[in-house]
Amino acid sequence: MSNVTVCVRFRPLSSKEKRDLGDNICIQSIDSETFIIKDEKEEGFTFSFDKVFYEKSKQADVYEFLVLPIVRDAFNAINGTIIAYGQTGAGKTYSMEGPNILESDEQKKGILPRVVDGLFACIRSSNDSTKYTIKLSMVEIYMEKVRDLFDLSKDNIQIKESRTQGILLSGATEISLLDPAEALQSLSSGIANRAIGETQMNMASSRSHCVYMFTLNQESTSEKRVKSGKLILVDLAGSEKVEKTGAEGKVLEEAKTINKSLSALGNVINALTCGSPAKANHIPYRDSKLTRILQDALGGSSRTALLCCCSPSPSNAPESLSTLRFGARAKHIKASPLVKANEEKCSKKDGAFSATRDEPFEKILKRMSERLNAEDMKLLEELFIQAGLVVDPDSTEDLESTFQDVVQQTISSLMQTVEELKSTVEMLQRENKALKERLAAAESFDALPVENAGFVHKILGFLSSFVPGMLR
């Protein structure tokens, strides 16, 4: 078991922040891991993380400490995820991409181009007996729909789950990358399709969560086996306060959806870190597309790193505090990274082949078609139909996934019903208590001597002329 690695990065003050409050900042550095941040009431809060990158930190510093170890793990078939989190305009996209994904200045390059360089550097330094392939997919979660950034016609990609491969995006375009230059061009074309909009806090505000998925396959000719590792980078859209961003119309609706999915992410973090270790706790991964895609990264089989991006300005102290508290909770998440994930053994004997148990149905048929002529394949297909064997294993996973969705929705509905019943019970208890008090008061009144009772009745009669219904 390993914890999520959490780092914080404070960007430099913006021109607007300097114009409004000068060079004032709300953070006080203690060391490379600890700092104090003051809220709008000047109350100080101390936070400690794996590493703190202050305003003068370099892009390379972030990559080498937070990202490079996960890149190396992916090369060794351990799945990894890097997430950039923070309020809008806090520097997430700059950290992830740099000023431009095609930026030639080495000092300004973001995490993505450095990941590309790192993957190909690992390949160049590897054993010649191993064949490597790198594939890239890019999607965005926009208004709770998963859209393919390489093919905009695929605007509602379904999320599936495989026992062997974890969370999958069914039908998402995969581009084979042959060299770093081609990889950057592919990333650039995908980024150009991402939804952005202008707000008062950001001229090019991301209106969607963007997910970059690198799949590194290794085929060893000596060991006759294939290993696969995934590296996922997530540039989250920033949380927004409408009074600060000035969002309206379509941009406002986008902001509501963004904030809702980030709230779902916070709920998952809370469920993972606040539950009892001895008791199974319901984790609401299926409450949003974002948390469903990040299921493996949050308490699953992936090695995960979180970069919390913040503004150092006192004007954004409440939002920065919220981001830091999110990071502090995330640090307690336990994950179980799997070494040599998605490993498949390949054995050949006398020109025949042995398919692995979990090998996709289509891949097996393709390999068979390479060895059989068209007539044999047709006879085999007819045999499958007669035997009732033409069932795609993926459809079984779809049924299981749908069944799980129904179960989770039923659980959520039952939990909501229980909460409503609790509220009803509490209300009835309050009403019951009030009735008992009124009954006790009535009994006390009846117990008064007759002469006192007559006097009280006169008083009540007098008051009833001012307050109708007093004697009821």
Side-chain angles (χ1 to χ4, degrees):
M1 300 288 283
S2 66
N3 287 66
V4 172
T5 301
V6 181
C7 294
V8 173
R9 188 179 195 185
F10 291 99
R11 61 160 172 75
L13 289 167
S14 68
S15 56
K16 183 179 184 301
E17 290 167 341
K18 287 183 177 181
R19 188 170 60 251
D20 293 343
L21 296 171
D23 292 329
N24 292 330
I25 60 174
C26 61
I27 58 169
Q28 177 187 339
S29 169
I30 295 178
D31 55 33
S32 62
E33 298 176 0
T34 307
F35 60 91
I36 298 172
I37 180 170
K38 292 184 178 181
D39 63 9
E40 64 272 26
K41 297 178 181 178
E42 291 295 310
E43 182 180 357
F45 298 86
T46 302
F47 287 92
S48 293
F49 295 95
D50 293 289
K51 185 82 171 178
V52 181
F53 300 99
Y54 296 102
E55 296 96 312
K56 294 183 179 180
S57 63
K58 299 176 181 177
Q59 295 277 62
D61 297 337
V62 177
Y63 173 76
E64 290 170 7
F65 182 88
L66 187 68
V67 183
L68 183 56
I70 295 182
V71 171
R72 288 172 176 162
D73 283 341
F75 187 76
N76 292 317
I78 301 175
N79 294 340
T81 305
I82 297 116
I83 304 170
Y85 179 92
Q87 77 173 118
T88 184
K92 299 180 301 299
T93 301
Y94 179 84
S95 295
M96 193 66 75
E97 300 175 10
N100 186 295
I101 195 66
L102 301 175
E103 177 63 53
S104 57
D105 187 338
E106 188 65 28
Q107 296 291 323
K108 296 179 180 179
K109 278 185 179 180
I111 290 172
L112 268 170
R114 293 177 190 274
V115 163
V116 169
D117 291 340
L119 288 173
F120 281 98
C122 288
I123 291 176
R124 287 194 296 271
S125 62
S126 65
N127 193 329
D128 291 337
S129 64
T130 303
K131 179 183 177 182
Y132 295 90
T133 58
I134 301 176
K135 293 184 177 181
L136 170 66
S137 294
M138 273 184 70
V139 300
E140 68 173 354
I141 305 171
Y142 177 73
M143 300 294 284
E144 270 307 287
K145 286 189 176 183
V146 182
R147 306 199 306 188
D148 191 330
L149 291 177
F150 290 142
D151 184 352
L152 296 179
S153 65
K154 300 176 181 178
D155 59 359
N156 193 16
I157 293 173
Q158 300 303 302
I159 304 169
K160 297 183 180 180
E161 186 173 4
S162 164
R163 289 189 181 90
T164 55
Q165 296 176 286
I167 299 299
L168 301 171
L169 298 177
S170 178
T173 303
E174 276 194 325
I175 295 178
S176 295
L177 307 177
L178 302 179
D179 57 63
E182 181 188 41
L184 292 178
Q185 287 294 338
S186 297
L187 285 167
S188 179
S189 65
I191 290 170
N193 289 328
R194 188 178 179 185
I196 60 172
E198 182 178 343
T199 70
Q200 292 177 7
M201 292 189 68
N202 196 343
M203 292 292 291
S205 174
S206 301
R207 312 313 296 163
S208 65
H209 308 301
C210 191
V211 183
Y212 311 85
M213 293 169 288
F214 295 89
T215 303
L216 179 64
N217 294 314
Q218 310 175 39
E219 184 175 354
S220 174
T221 55
S222 58
E223 297 180 10
K224 306 295 183 186
R225 68 175 56 198
V226 175
K227 294 191 297 183
S228 178
K230 282 184 183 178
L231 179 59
I232 300 176
L233 292 89
V234 185
D235 180 11
L236 295 175
S239 57
E240 298 185 9
K241 283 192 173 181
V242 177
E243 60 267 27
K244 284 191 174 182
T245 62
E248 56 185 21
K250 180 183 176 183
V251 177
L252 177 59
E253 293 304 312
E254 292 169 342
K256 289 179 181 177
T257 307
I258 290 167
N259 289 341
K260 184 178 179 181
S261 63
L262 291 175
S263 294
L265 178 59
N267 292 338
V268 167
I269 300 293
N270 288 336
L272 286 168
T273 56
C274 297
S276 171
K279 185 179 179 181
N281 196 27
H282 168 63
I283 312 298
Y285 289 117
R286 295 173 182 267
D287 283 0
S288 77
K289 298 291 177 65
L290 174 63
T291 51
R292 185 73 171 121
I293 288 177
L294 292 179
Q295 182 171 332
D296 288 340
L298 302 173
S301 59
S302 174
R303 183 156 290 165
T304 304
L306 175 67
L307 180 64
C308 293
C309 298
C310 299
S311 160
S313 173
S315 62
N316 290 313
E319 290 82 3
S320 295
L321 264 172
S322 176
T323 297
L324 295 170
R325 286 168 177 153
F326 176 89
R329 292 196 304 271
K331 188 162 175 52
H332 295 290
I333 296 174
K334 300 286 185 182
S336 302
L338 300 178
V339 179
K340 298 182 180 180
N342 305 330
E343 188 172 293
E344 299 174 357
K345 294 182 180 179
C346 306
S347 60
K348 295 184 179 180
K349 197 172 185 180
D350 300 326
F353 72 93
S354 173
T356 63
R357 180 181 176 184
D358 297 315
E359 191 168 4
F361 188 68
E362 296 90 344
K363 190 173 180 181
I364 296 172
L365 286 178
K366 183 179 179 182
R367 291 171 64 186
M368 291 176 67
S369 66
E370 292 172 354
R371 291 165 173 77
L372 301 175
N373 59 40
E375 187 176 350
D376 291 335
M377 281 298 297
K378 188 174 181 180
L379 289 171
L380 186 61
E381 184 180 352
E382 290 178 1
L383 178 63
F384 279 0
I385 293 172
Q386 290 178 13
L389 297 176
V390 285
V391 179
D392 187 344
D394 286 340
S395 65
T396 304
E397 289 184 356
D398 287 347
L399 288 172
E400 289 180 357
S401 180
T402 303
F403 174 74
Q404 290 173 5
D405 283 336
V406 172
V407 170
Q408 296 296 345
Q409 290 170 7
T410 303
I411 291 172
S412 297
S413 177
L414 288 173
M415 290 175 68
Q416 184 177 353
T417 302
V418 168
E419 290 300 320
E420 291 173 354
L421 285 173
K422 283 182 179 179
S423 299
T424 303
V425 168
E426 289 174 357
M427 182 185 70
L428 290 173
Q429 287 174 338
R430 289 194 298 270
E431 291 181 355
N432 187 40
K433 183 180 178 181
L435 286 171
K436 285 182 178 179
E437 290 173 350
R438 290 170 61 186
L439 181 61
E443 289 175 348
S444 299
F445 177 77
D446 291 339
L448 289 172
V450 175
E451 58 274 14
N452 291 344
F455 175 74
V456 172
H457 272 294
K458 288 180 180 179
I459 295 296
L460 290 176
F462 175 74
L463 292 174
S464 66
S465 62
F466 299 96
V467 185
M470 175 67 75
L471 293 176
R472 289 180 184 175

